[in-house]
Amino acid sequence: MTVSMHSTGKASFDDIYDRPDPSAYCRRMAELDYRIPELARPAFAELIDEYEATTGIVPTVLDLGCSYGVNAAVLRFGTTVAELADHYGGADTATCIARDRARLAADDRLPRVRLIGMDASAPALDYAAATGLLHETVHADLESRDPTESQRRVLGAADLVISTGCVGYVTGSTLTRVARAHGTRLPWMAHFVLRMYAFEPIARELAALGYRTERRPGTFRQRRFASAAEQQQVVNTLSANGIDTTGYESDGWLHAHLYISRPVVDDSAPSEPASTPEDRP
């Protein structure tokens, strides 16, 4: 299979990202052992619980780059991407929607949490809204413009902003616009960011708004490389930035770090810096 490359330096999956349902997307991701949503699930669940314990409010969660509501499905079904691929199979769109609706009705693991999503793919958002996986959606690209008033209303309702692969496609411009949608109230944030993308500049932009960012220890495997060309390009990028890929990307996997940003005024906000020496071996 010929794999085209995205301008971000990763393989492009645009051909399966604008279809009316996620069956092809999940099938392709399962073939690449895409697992960051299920690896992220415990961290997101922990933050949801922590936010409620700290504030007394069950948070509204905004997923940036939500696509078909994959993170919502993993959180609400307690499932994996590979299992979702089986769940959808080769069914048509109406059947996929019916299966998701039935599953939500039977076993929603987060019945009290409101989930909203933002993405640049209208078909993916339409699907997530039709199934009920996401309670509200925003179709927007905030890299070059501010949200509209209607978009700001939805984005500003979020208490916790999450992503599992959005940073790189978006920059600090999007994250700061999302944060500012809340007025003087700042949401918590948790972003899984590939090691090929430096989060430190974004952390500085967030700090200017009143955030403190920590990087959790360790890395998380996102997926296998889609091609030798993708692996070589990513390894070259990391090496050029002084990052050792031995035992990580050189072994065939994209690796991500988890960055958590919270308003400094929160007593629970950790004091660790966004970058640690192991980032630059």
Side-chain angles (χ1 to χ4, degrees):
M1 171 186 289
T2 301
V3 179
S4 61
M5 301 299 289
H6 193 273
S7 60
T8 60
K10 296 193 300 181
S12 173
F13 300 103
D14 290 348
D15 61 317
I16 54 172
Y17 198 59
D18 60 356
R19 299 189 186 187
D21 63 69
S23 57
Y25 176 83
C26 287
R27 186 165 58 251
R28 181 66 174 127
M29 292 299 101
E31 290 171 356
L32 296 174
D33 290 325
Y34 183 67
R35 60 185 59 183
I36 198 71
E38 60 246 41
L39 295 179
R41 180 164 59 93
F44 292 157
E46 176 186 324
L47 284 169
I48 289 169
D49 291 343
E50 186 180 348
Y51 189 93
E52 181 178 8
T54 301
T55 67
I57 299 170
V58 178
T60 293
V61 179
L62 166 63
D63 183 14
L64 296 182
C66 62
S67 70
Y68 297 91
V70 173
N71 279 332
V74 170
L75 283 165
R76 299 181 72 179
F77 296 157
T79 189
T80 68
V81 172
E83 195 277 337
L84 284 175
D86 291 337
H87 168 69
Y88 297 121
D92 60 25
T93 300
T95 301
C96 289
I97 291 173
R99 287 176 181 175
D100 279 341
R101 285 178 175 172
R103 192 166 180 177
L104 277 175
D107 185 24
D108 184 355
R109 307 292 177 90
L110 292 177
R112 299 187 304 137
V113 176
R114 181 173 176 81
L115 289 109
I116 57 183
M118 187 183 91
D119 203 277
S121 171
L125 290 174
D126 289 345
Y127 180 86
T131 60
L133 284 169
L134 294 174
H135 298 93
E136 205 160 5
T137 61
V138 173
H139 180 219
D141 180 348
L142 302 185
E143 278 298 286
S144 59
R145 64 169 183 82
D146 290 331
T148 65
E149 284 306 311
S150 61
Q151 291 169 347
R152 191 186 308 276
R153 174 188 58 80
V154 179
L155 298 173
D159 302 298
L160 171 62
V161 180
I162 65 172
S163 70
T164 53
C166 186
V167 175
Y169 295 105
V170 305
T171 66
S173 297
T174 290
L175 297 192
T176 55
R177 284 187 169 105
V178 168
R180 286 174 177 150
H182 298 71
T184 58
R185 181 183 70 88
L186 296 175
W188 293 13
M189 293 192 177
H191 302 292
F192 284 82
V193 182
L194 291 177
R195 298 202 318 153
M196 64 187 291
Y197 304 124
F199 194 74
E200 291 80 1
I202 296 176
R204 288 193 291 270
E205 292 184 59
L206 294 177
L209 298 180
Y211 282 95
R212 181 181 297 133
T213 297
E214 64 152 330
R215 198 198 76 192
R216 288 284 177 88
T219 68
F220 301 81
R221 288 180 171 182
Q222 190 202 57
R223 62 166 170 82
R224 296 185 184 276
F225 286 106
S227 67
E230 182 189 33
Q231 180 178 12
Q232 190 60 59
Q233 185 160 316
V234 170
V235 167
N236 290 345
T237 297
L238 288 163
S239 299
N241 290 326
I243 300 174
D244 187 2
T245 64
T246 305
Y248 296 95
E249 292 78 10
S250 292
D251 285 355
W253 288 84
L254 285 158
H255 281 255
H257 285 304
L258 169 58
Y259 294 90
I260 297 175
S261 302
R262 304 184 227 199
V264 175
V265 294
D266 286 348
D267 291 336
S268 60
S271 58
E272 290 86 351
S275 177
T276 63
E278 70 173 312
D279 278 330
R280 299 290 184 267

